[in-house]
Each structure stands twice: as C-alpha cells, then as structure tokens.
Amino acid sequence: SPRVLSGIQPTAGSFHLGNYLGAVRQWVALQETHDAFYMLADLHAITVMQDPAELRANTRLATAQLLAAGLDPERCTLFIQSHVPEHAQLAWVMNCLTGFGEASRMTQFKDKSARQGADRASVGLFTYPVLQVADILLYQAHEVPVGEDQRQHIELTRDLADRFNGRFGPTFTVPKPYILKETAKIYDLQDPTIKMSKSASTPKGLINLLDDPKVTAKKVKSAVTDTDTVIRYDVENKPGVSNLLTVHSTLTGAGIAELEERYAGKGYGALKTDLAEIMVEFATPFRERTQQYLDDPETLDSILAKGAEKARAVAAETLALAYDRVGFLPAK
Ligand code: AQP
C-alpha cells in the first residue's frame, strides 16, 4: 500500500484544534489505508529554544495525545525523530543541494524569524524545511498529510527529490501533499483571518485540546464573528462564522448546507452554544485517554522503541542508497 509520512512538533503542551483537524485527524484515517509513518519531530522542536526537561515531558505528552487521538501502533509506525539518526544525516546531503535563495523564500521561516527578531533566529530554523525534506524522502513517502501552512515545504521536497534523482539517478519517491480542503486551515477564534497557532497573539483565539472544558466553552462562546446575524458559509465575507461551521461540521459529520439550514434564523449564540458543547464532548474523553497513556510510561516507551526500530529499518536503507549515489565510499 502507498506510504505516508508526517510529523508534529512536541513543543507546546497541548495539541491545538488546528493541529488536530488539519493533520492528526487525517493521520488516524490514513493508518487504515496506507503504510503510515508518524513522528514526534523533536529535532524540529529545538530550532527554537527549548527547556530540556520540558522538551522531554512534552515529547511524552505529544505521544500520549497521538495515541488518545486514535493512532494504533499496530497499524502505524509511531516514532521519535531523534531516535533515527538518518534524518540528520540525509538532511546534510539535502542542505548541500538546496540553494541559499531557495531556502530564504520559505514563508514559514520568514514569519517565524520575523517574530523572533532576525538576529536571534537560529541557522537550524533556517534549514528546518530541508530537514523536513529529509524526513519525507527517507521513507519514500507517496503522500504527506499536513495543513495548508506546510504546502510550500512539500513543494520544496518535490523539487529536491527531482533534483537529486536528476543528478544522481532515480533514488527518491517524489511525494504529494495530502491536504483536505475543508480543514486545511483552521482559523484563530479572535482573528479569523489568521491561522490558529500556538504562537497566536492572544490565548483566547487558540483552542487547546487539553484545556479545562470551561475554558474551551468560554473561548468558543466569545469567538469573533461579524455584525450580521446570518449563519452562512462564506470565507471571504464571514470568516469567523465559516470557521465555526467548519469545526462543527468536521467534529459532528453534519454537512455545511445542513448546518446552515439547521441554524437559519437562530443567530450566532445558538451556534456557539452548540459548538461549545460539541468541543467539550470531544475533548473530555480525549483528555482522559491522554492521561491514561501518560500514567503508563512503560507502554509508551515500548511503543516508541518498536516504532524507532521499524522506522530505522526503512530509513537506513534509503540513506545507504543516497550515500552511495552521492559517491561516498561505504564503510568497510
Ligand atoms: N491552524 C491550522 N489549521 C490546519 N492545520 C494546522 N496545523 C497547524 N496549525 C494548523 C498543522 O498541524 C501539523 C503540525 O504542525 P506543527 O508541528 O508545525 O505544529 P505547531 O508548531 O504546533 O503549529 P503552529 O501552532 O502553527 O506553530 P507555530 O505557531 O510555531 O507556527 C502540521 O501538519 C500543520 O500543517
């Protein structure tokens, strides 16, 4: 079956709604139909300053959340990026194939470095997309399930795979992004024109799945909408309402048209009250399951050990081929 690879950074404590609807939810579905590899991207996490104890705790917490969301270690390979040294090794080769100007055009880098102040941004943050290229190519992934914000990095991956294959002979599968239109971008509840993000300006716009249910309900109820009262999906003119409809529709399975009809003449309050309840109903068992996995570190560690072993088997084979193609003499 076709292969997918994706990753998430263990940086914030809790996953946010954007991570879940934009990526993790698709990961859970794809493990049924694809040979799926999912990683905790701890190498990516240190592109910005991390406290070591927090990083360790957050890596466990992110693993627990992925399992709570429905990843099944019998159906997918779940591993920690730093357990597979081939990522850093292939990244070096890819760095040497990437143009400086090409890397400079990555909008995520521009955004993140601007936020930190250009002088404080690390070289790691600059080459992060190239490490991501290596992450994907090592597994010969056919598809990469991500949110819209990652599209440019998948394009870079395709370019570099083509470039390597062209220069050294067929080596890497050229992957495609797997981005679901409906949930490609979940927006900030306070500013529905920007993506929901952990580095958002106000915590009120960000739904963390592990938040206290009361906090979640309050955030949903105070979501910014517009001065109109009509509940209609129209991203251009009604971004706030459209975002709420997207979340509602994805979590309940109701179609957008069906929701528009259901809330006709009812006003924003009704939609928000229902959505707050839906969110809490979704998040409560998620939080409980996350806690159960956290309470059993031996099981977590053994899942990750098995995952690393399976991942390394694939990654080592690809790296050996790439090293040979480049002209490195094999170690005897
Ligand atoms: N708002 C979003 N809508 C849809 N998908 C999203 N993703 C993130 N935000 C949204 C997707 O989540 C996956 C994991 O991305 P990540 O590891 O980069 O997560 P993050 O660093 O927590 O993302 P943030 O919050 O966006 O971080 P900052 O603020 O640092 O940029 C990816 O597939 C991503 O597309």
Side-chain angles (χ1 to χ4, degrees):
S1 50
R3 188 171 280 161
V4 291
L5 175 287
S6 197
I8 189 159
Q9 298 191 62
T11 38
S14 173
F15 291 171
H16 61 69
L17 193 60
N19 299 143
Y20 177 71
L21 295 181
V24 175
R25 201 164 176 275
Q26 279 65 265
W27 298 11
V28 175
L30 287 167
Q31 65 183 346
E32 306 301 335
T33 50
H34 286 65
D35 182 17
F37 285 74
Y38 300 127
M39 64 170 193
L40 286 310
D42 56 352
L43 298 183
H44 287 282
I46 65 162
T47 55
V48 297
M49 200 82 85
Q50 298 294 330
D51 172 75
E54 259 175 48
L55 178 59
R56 232 168 261 131
N58 281 337
T59 304
R60 282 228 159 75
L61 182 56
T63 308
Q65 289 177 85
L66 288 176
L67 295 166
L71 288 191
D72 174 354
E74 301 293 321
R75 291 190 163 79
C76 69
T77 303
L78 177 60
F79 66 100
I80 296 181
Q81 189 183 24
S82 65
H83 289 179
V84 183
E86 285 80 2
H87 289 255
Q89 293 174 292
L90 185 63
W92 178 254
V93 176
M94 291 299 155
N95 271 317
C96 296
L97 280 186
T98 310
F100 190 84
E102 193 176 29
S104 309
R105 284 193 291 276
M106 296 296 121
T107 56
Q108 289 255 327
F109 172 74
K110 286 197 250 178
D111 292 350
K112 289 194 181 183
S113 58
R115 246 184 266 148
Q116 290 185 24
D119 293 343
R120 292 171 62 197
S122 68
V123 174
L125 187 66
F126 182 66
T127 65
Y128 163 128
V130 183
L131 175 58
Q132 203 176 320
V133 169
D135 298 336
I136 297 164
L137 297 185
L138 268 180
Y139 298 90
Q140 307 284 10
H142 300 92
E143 288 179 291
V144 189
V146 286
E148 182 63 38
D149 57 342
Q150 292 295 327
R151 187 185 290 278
Q152 195 188 27
H153 294 168
I154 313 302
E155 273 310 310
L156 178 70
T157 308
R158 292 171 57 82
D159 289 346
L160 285 169
D162 277 332
R163 193 171 306 159
F164 190 104
N165 291 346
R167 194 166 303 172
F168 301 112
T171 306
F172 296 117
T173 302
V174 182
K176 290 197 187 74
Y178 179 95
I179 302 176
L180 292 189
K181 197 162 72 271
E182 300 77 25
T183 50
K185 202 165 178 185
I186 302 299
Y187 294 89
D188 187 290
L189 295 188
Q190 287 299 312
D191 180 354
T193 62
I194 59 170
K195 73 163 184 175
M196 185 177 285
S197 148
K198 63 174 179 293
S199 32
S201 49
T202 152
K204 281 175 72 190
L206 174 70
I207 301 275
N208 282 314
L209 299 189
L210 298 179
D211 271 351
D212 185 302
K214 286 199 204 83
V215 173
T216 300
K218 207 168 158 200
K219 286 182 184 176
V220 173
K221 286 180 186 167
S222 53
V224 166
T225 43
D226 51 53
T227 52
D228 189 25
T229 54
V230 183
I231 295 182
R232 179 166 47 87
Y233 187 85
D234 176 351
V235 179
E236 194 85 345
N237 300 304
K238 302 172 76 68
V241 175
S242 303
N243 192 39
L244 297 180
L245 285 172
T246 298
V247 174
H248 190 313
S249 162
T250 325
L251 288 178
T252 61
I256 297 279
E258 189 184 332
L259 292 176
E260 285 173 339
E261 205 170 306
R262 190 186 307 170
Y263 290 102
K266 287 204 177 133
Y268 297 155
L271 173 64
K272 288 181 183 177
T273 305
D274 286 356
L275 186 57
E277 201 172 303
I278 290 160
M279 273 304 313
V280 168
E281 257 168 47
F282 165 76
T284 302
F286 175 82
R287 288 171 56 205
E288 287 166 7
R289 285 196 299 272
T290 300
Q291 192 54 50
Q292 283 164 8
Y293 283 110
L294 279 181
D295 290 341
D296 185 2
E298 280 93 47
T299 301
L300 273 193
D301 288 346
S302 103
I303 289 171
L304 291 169
K306 274 195 208 112
E309 199 183 321
K310 277 162 71 188
R312 272 205 87 171
V314 177
E317 195 182 321
T318 310
L319 183 75
L321 178 63
Y323 268 22
D324 179 61
R325 290 272 205 264
V326 165
F328 292 160
L329 270 183
K332 281 272 151 54

PDB file of all heavy atoms in Angstrom, residues 118-135:
ATOM      1  N   ALA A 118      15.351  38.846  13.561  1.00  0.00           N
ATOM      2  CA  ALA A 118      16.204  38.131  12.610  1.00  0.00           C
ATOM      3  C   ALA A 118      17.543  37.703  13.229  1.00  0.00           C
ATOM      4  O   ALA A 118      18.063  36.639  12.934  1.00  0.00           O
ATOM      5  CB  ALA A 118      16.426  38.986  11.377  1.00  0.00           C
ATOM      6  N   ASP A 119      18.092  38.518  14.123  1.00  0.00           N
ATOM      7  CA  ASP A 119      19.396  38.196  14.697  1.00  0.00           C
ATOM      8  C   ASP A 119      19.336  37.017  15.639  1.00  0.00           C
ATOM      9  O   ASP A 119      20.334  36.347  15.884  1.00  0.00           O
ATOM     10  CB  ASP A 119      19.945  39.400  15.484  1.00  0.00           C
ATOM     11  CG  ASP A 119      20.261  40.552  14.553  1.00  0.00           C
ATOM     12  OD1 ASP A 119      20.357  40.311  13.335  1.00  0.00           O
ATOM     13  OD2 ASP A 119      20.391  41.683  15.054  1.00  0.00           O
ATOM     14  N   ARG A 120      18.157  36.767  16.177  1.00  0.00           N
ATOM     15  CA  ARG A 120      18.057  35.701  17.166  1.00  0.00           C
ATOM     16  C   ARG A 120      17.624  34.380  16.560  1.00  0.00           C
ATOM     17  O   ARG A 120      17.723  33.339  17.196  1.00  0.00           O
ATOM     18  CB  ARG A 120      17.099  36.123  18.288  1.00  0.00           C
ATOM     19  CG  ARG A 120      17.722  37.270  19.098  1.00  0.00           C
ATOM     20  CD  ARG A 120      16.746  37.872  20.073  1.00  0.00           C
ATOM     21  NE  ARG A 120      16.289  36.890  21.063  1.00  0.00           N
ATOM     22  CZ  ARG A 120      15.209  37.052  21.805  1.00  0.00           C
ATOM     23  NH1 ARG A 120      14.478  38.130  21.665  1.00  0.00           N
ATOM     24  NH2 ARG A 120      14.868  36.163  22.695  1.00  0.00           N
ATOM     25  N   ALA A 121      17.124  34.415  15.326  1.00  0.00           N
ATOM     26  CA  ALA A 121      16.713  33.168  14.677  1.00  0.00           C
ATOM     27  C   ALA A 121      17.946  32.300  14.435  1.00  0.00           C
ATOM     28  O   ALA A 121      19.003  32.788  14.063  1.00  0.00           O
ATOM     29  CB  ALA A 121      16.019  33.479  13.360  1.00  0.00           C
ATOM     30  N   SER A 122      17.808  30.978  14.659  1.00  0.00           N
ATOM     31  CA  SER A 122      18.958  30.085  14.506  1.00  0.00           C
ATOM     32  C   SER A 122      19.105  29.620  13.062  1.00  0.00           C
ATOM     33  O   SER A 122      18.155  29.673  12.276  1.00  0.00           O
ATOM     34  CB  SER A 122      18.782  28.868  15.412  1.00  0.00           C
ATOM     35  OG  SER A 122      17.712  28.061  14.946  1.00  0.00           O
ATOM     36  N   VAL A 123      20.307  29.142  12.744  1.00  0.00           N
ATOM     37  CA  VAL A 123      20.539  28.533  11.432  1.00  0.00           C
ATOM     38  C   VAL A 123      19.662  27.279  11.309  1.00  0.00           C
ATOM     39  O   VAL A 123      19.184  26.939  10.230  1.00  0.00           O
ATOM     40  CB  VAL A 123      22.038  28.199  11.255  1.00  0.00           C
ATOM     41  CG1 VAL A 123      22.275  27.427   9.963  1.00  0.00           C
ATOM     42  CG2 VAL A 123      22.863  29.473  11.272  1.00  0.00           C
ATOM     43  N   GLY A 124      19.422  26.620  12.443  1.00  0.00           N
ATOM     44  CA  GLY A 124      18.530  25.459  12.447  1.00  0.00           C
ATOM     45  C   GLY A 124      17.137  25.816  11.956  1.00  0.00           C
ATOM     46  O   GLY A 124      16.533  25.084  11.174  1.00  0.00           O
ATOM     47  N   LEU A 125      16.634  26.949  12.394  1.00  0.00           N
ATOM     48  CA  LEU A 125      15.305  27.390  11.945  1.00  0.00           C
ATOM     49  C   LEU A 125      15.319  27.638  10.430  1.00  0.00           C
ATOM     50  O   LEU A 125      14.364  27.332   9.732  1.00  0.00           O
ATOM     51  CB  LEU A 125      14.889  28.669  12.687  1.00  0.00           C
ATOM     52  CG  LEU A 125      13.458  29.144  12.451  1.00  0.00           C
ATOM     53  CD1 LEU A 125      12.440  28.161  13.015  1.00  0.00           C
ATOM     54  CD2 LEU A 125      13.226  30.526  13.080  1.00  0.00           C
ATOM     55  N   PHE A 126      16.455  28.154   9.960  1.00  0.00           N
ATOM     56  CA  PHE A 126      16.589  28.429   8.529  1.00  0.00           C
ATOM     57  C   PHE A 126      16.559  27.138   7.701  1.00  0.00           C
ATOM     58  O   PHE A 126      15.924  27.075   6.649  1.00  0.00           O
ATOM     59  CB  PHE A 126      17.895  29.202   8.285  1.00  0.00           C
ATOM     60  CG  PHE A 126      18.116  29.589   6.858  1.00  0.00           C
ATOM     61  CD1 PHE A 126      17.278  30.497   6.226  1.00  0.00           C
ATOM     62  CD2 PHE A 126      19.172  29.048   6.143  1.00  0.00           C
ATOM     63  CE1 PHE A 126      17.485  30.857   4.902  1.00  0.00           C
ATOM     64  CE2 PHE A 126      19.379  29.390   4.817  1.00  0.00           C
ATOM     65  CZ  PHE A 126      18.534  30.302   4.195  1.00  0.00           C
ATOM     66  N   THR A 127      17.255  26.107   8.184  1.00  0.00           N
ATOM     67  CA  THR A 127      17.338  24.875   7.381  1.00  0.00           C
ATOM     68  C   THR A 127      16.264  23.843   7.763  1.00  0.00           C
ATOM     69  O   THR A 127      16.240  22.744   7.218  1.00  0.00           O
ATOM     70  CB  THR A 127      18.720  24.191   7.475  1.00  0.00           C
ATOM     71  OG1 THR A 127      18.918  23.748   8.816  1.00  0.00           O
ATOM     72  CG2 THR A 127      19.841  25.115   7.096  1.00  0.00           C
ATOM     73  N   TYR A 128      15.393  24.211   8.664  1.00  0.00           N
ATOM     74  CA  TYR A 128      14.301  23.334   9.090  1.00  0.00           C
ATOM     75  C   TYR A 128      13.533  22.717   7.914  1.00  0.00           C
ATOM     76  O   TYR A 128      13.298  21.502   7.888  1.00  0.00           O
ATOM     77  CB  TYR A 128      13.416  24.186   9.999  1.00  0.00           C
ATOM     78  CG  TYR A 128      12.017  23.789  10.336  1.00  0.00           C
ATOM     79  CD1 TYR A 128      11.623  23.751  11.680  1.00  0.00           C
ATOM     80  CD2 TYR A 128      11.053  23.513   9.379  1.00  0.00           C
ATOM     81  CE1 TYR A 128      10.323  23.432  12.028  1.00  0.00           C
ATOM     82  CE2 TYR A 128       9.762  23.191   9.725  1.00  0.00           C
ATOM     83  CZ  TYR A 128       9.401  23.147  11.048  1.00  0.00           C
ATOM     84  OH  TYR A 128       8.121  22.825  11.392  1.00  0.00           O
ATOM     85  N   PRO A 129      13.164  23.492   6.870  1.00  0.00           N
ATOM     86  CA  PRO A 129      12.444  22.861   5.752  1.00  0.00           C
ATOM     87  C   PRO A 129      13.269  21.779   5.055  1.00  0.00           C
ATOM     88  O   PRO A 129      12.709  20.831   4.517  1.00  0.00           O
ATOM     89  CB  PRO A 129      12.183  24.027   4.793  1.00  0.00           C
ATOM     90  CG  PRO A 129      12.314  25.257   5.624  1.00  0.00           C
ATOM     91  CD  PRO A 129      13.315  24.952   6.684  1.00  0.00           C
ATOM     92  N   VAL A 130      14.581  21.933   5.084  1.00  0.00           N
ATOM     93  CA  VAL A 130      15.442  20.945   4.421  1.00  0.00           C
ATOM     94  C   VAL A 130      15.500  19.655   5.253  1.00  0.00           C
ATOM     95  O   VAL A 130      15.526  18.547   4.713  1.00  0.00           O
ATOM     96  CB  VAL A 130      16.853  21.522   4.179  1.00  0.00           C
ATOM     97  CG1 VAL A 130      17.709  20.523   3.418  1.00  0.00           C
ATOM     98  CG2 VAL A 130      16.765  22.850   3.426  1.00  0.00           C
ATOM     99  N   LEU A 131      15.489  19.809   6.563  1.00  0.00           N
ATOM    100  CA  LEU A 131      15.376  18.623   7.426  1.00  0.00           C
ATOM    101  C   LEU A 131      14.040  17.932   7.152  1.00  0.00           C
ATOM    102  O   LEU A 131      13.958  16.703   7.090  1.00  0.00           O
ATOM    103  CB  LEU A 131      15.483  19.039   8.903  1.00  0.00           C
ATOM    104  CG  LEU A 131      15.271  17.932   9.945  1.00  0.00           C
ATOM    105  CD1 LEU A 131      16.253  16.785   9.773  1.00  0.00           C
ATOM    106  CD2 LEU A 131      15.379  18.509  11.375  1.00  0.00           C
ATOM    107  N   GLN A 132      13.021  18.730   6.933  1.00  0.00           N
ATOM    108  CA  GLN A 132      11.709  18.156   6.634  1.00  0.00           C
ATOM    109  C   GLN A 132      11.740  17.397   5.298  1.00  0.00           C
ATOM    110  O   GLN A 132      11.106  16.349   5.165  1.00  0.00           O
ATOM    111  CB  GLN A 132      10.683  19.283   6.580  1.00  0.00           C
ATOM    112  CG  GLN A 132       9.283  18.804   6.827  1.00  0.00           C
ATOM    113  CD  GLN A 132       8.309  19.976   6.867  1.00  0.00           C
ATOM    114  OE1 GLN A 132       8.609  21.038   7.414  1.00  0.00           O
ATOM    115  NE2 GLN A 132       7.163  19.790   6.281  1.00  0.00           N
ATOM    116  N   VAL A 133      12.490  17.902   4.358  1.00  0.00           N
ATOM    117  CA  VAL A 133      12.669  17.194   3.083  1.00  0.00           C
ATOM    118  C   VAL A 133      13.257  15.812   3.358  1.00  0.00           C
ATOM    119  O   VAL A 133      12.773  14.783   2.859  1.00  0.00           O
ATOM    120  CB  VAL A 133      13.606  18.005   2.148  1.00  0.00           C
ATOM    121  CG1 VAL A 133      14.017  17.171   0.941  1.00  0.00           C
ATOM    122  CG2 VAL A 133      12.938  19.310   1.709  1.00  0.00           C
ATOM    123  N   ALA A 134      14.300  15.788   4.179  1.00  0.00           N
ATOM    124  CA  ALA A 134      14.939  14.507   4.510  1.00  0.00           C
ATOM    125  C   ALA A 134      13.963  13.580   5.231  1.00  0.00           C
ATOM    126  O   ALA A 134      13.890  12.377   4.937  1.00  0.00           O
ATOM    127  CB  ALA A 134      16.176  14.754   5.378  1.00  0.00           C
ATOM    128  N   ASP A 135      13.179  14.134   6.155  1.00  0.00           N
ATOM    129  CA  ASP A 135      12.190  13.332   6.901  1.00  0.00           C
ATOM    130  C   ASP A 135      11.297  12.547   5.929  1.00  0.00           C
ATOM    131  O   ASP A 135      11.037  11.365   6.120  1.00  0.00           O
ATOM    132  CB  ASP A 135      11.245  14.235   7.722  1.00  0.00           C
ATOM    133  CG  ASP A 135      11.944  15.066   8.779  1.00  0.00           C
ATOM    134  OD1 ASP A 135      13.036  14.677   9.230  1.00  0.00           O
ATOM    135  OD2 ASP A 135      11.374  16.122   9.159  1.00  0.00           O
TER     136      ASP A 135
END
